[in-house]
Each structure stands twice: as structure tokens, then as C-alpha cells.
Amino acid sequence: MGIIRLENVRLYGFHGCLKEEEKIGSDYRVDLEVHADLQKASASDHLEDTVDYVQLQTIIREEMARRTKLIETVAARILDRILEEQRAVTQARVAVSKINPPIGGDVQQVTVELSKNRN
């Protein structure tokens, strides 16, 4: 078993319940961890034997581009697509952070973390 991580993926998005968030947008950070059997890839040195992290980043980018009110929804969509499209992944964890959220205080970020196992 092995782990692949994409850390500190920085994006701009328009998620939130406030009208201002829909118009102005915010900075976001996504951290992803996937578990898969990486033994074959480590021996073969072939991309088709591993989880393509370019595709993982594409999934993150595409789902972050779809506006939602809740970052919980974005996180769930990312996990669902990874498990659907990346058959080698057995487990995934994603953390979506809204940087400087408009919550009436000095808060660096709010983070939602979800994980999901392949059934």
C-alpha cells in the first residue's frame, strides 16, 4: 500500500452562502491524500501502473470551479469523482479550506475535511 498527497493546491473560487462571495470570490486551499497499491508502479516505472496525480489535480480544479454554497459539497464531489475515475484508489481524504472567510473575525481559514473508502 502507498499514499499519494497533493498538498496546498491553491485556487480561486466562488463558494459561499453570501451574495458577495458569489460575486467577489475567495482564495481556497485543497489538500488531498489517496491510498493505493503502488508496488507495481514502483517496479515498472510506468504511469499506467499508478494513480496519475495530474488527473487528481484536474478533478480538484474542475470541482472547485463549480459554484456551491458549502465547501462540504465541493469536498464530497472531489472524493466521489476520485473513487469513480481512479480505480486504483482504495481510500481518499480531502481537506478544503476557505482562506480569510467572511465570518466577522480574524480567522486565517476554515477547513472541512472528508474521507471515503471504496466499498
Side-chain angles (χ1 to χ4, degrees):
M1 220 29 146
I3 297 172
I4 295 174
R5 291 186 185 96
L6 275 70
E7 299 177 288
N8 199 22
V9 179
R10 294 176 303 269
L11 302 139
Y12 200 82
F14 296 88
H15 310 292
C17 297
L18 303 175
K19 291 288 184 194
E20 293 80 10
E21 293 174 300
E22 182 177 356
K23 294 176 184 175
I24 299 169
S26 301
D27 289 309
Y28 291 85
R29 170 187 172 159
V30 177
D31 295 288
L32 176 68
E33 176 179 294
V34 298
H35 295 242
D37 184 350
L38 303 178
Q39 288 183 349
K40 184 176 180 183
S42 60
S44 73
D45 198 31
H46 294 296
L47 179 60
E48 60 270 8
D49 293 333
T50 192
V51 177
D52 185 348
Y53 49 82
V54 172
Q55 290 300 317
L56 296 176
Q57 195 274 342
T58 298
I59 291 170
I60 292 169
R61 189 180 66 245
E62 289 175 356
E63 293 306 324
M64 286 296 293
R66 292 177 53 200
R67 176 170 162 44
T68 62
K69 292 180 181 175
L70 302 177
I71 57 177
E72 290 89 331
T73 304
V74 179
R77 286 196 321 245
I78 290 169
L79 289 177
D80 288 345
R81 277 196 58 195
I82 288 169
L83 291 173
E84 179 181 318
E85 297 176 23
Q86 299 291 318
R87 300 304 304 164
V89 173
T90 58
Q91 178 184 10
R93 180 193 63 79
V94 66
V96 178
S97 302
K98 180 182 272 191
I99 310 300
N100 297 318
I103 60 174
D106 185 11
V107 177
Q108 180 180 340
Q109 66 187 32
V110 172
T111 303
V112 169
E113 183 174 320
L114 298 176
S115 61
K116 194 168 187 179
N117 296 324
R118 183 175 302 286
N119 293 335

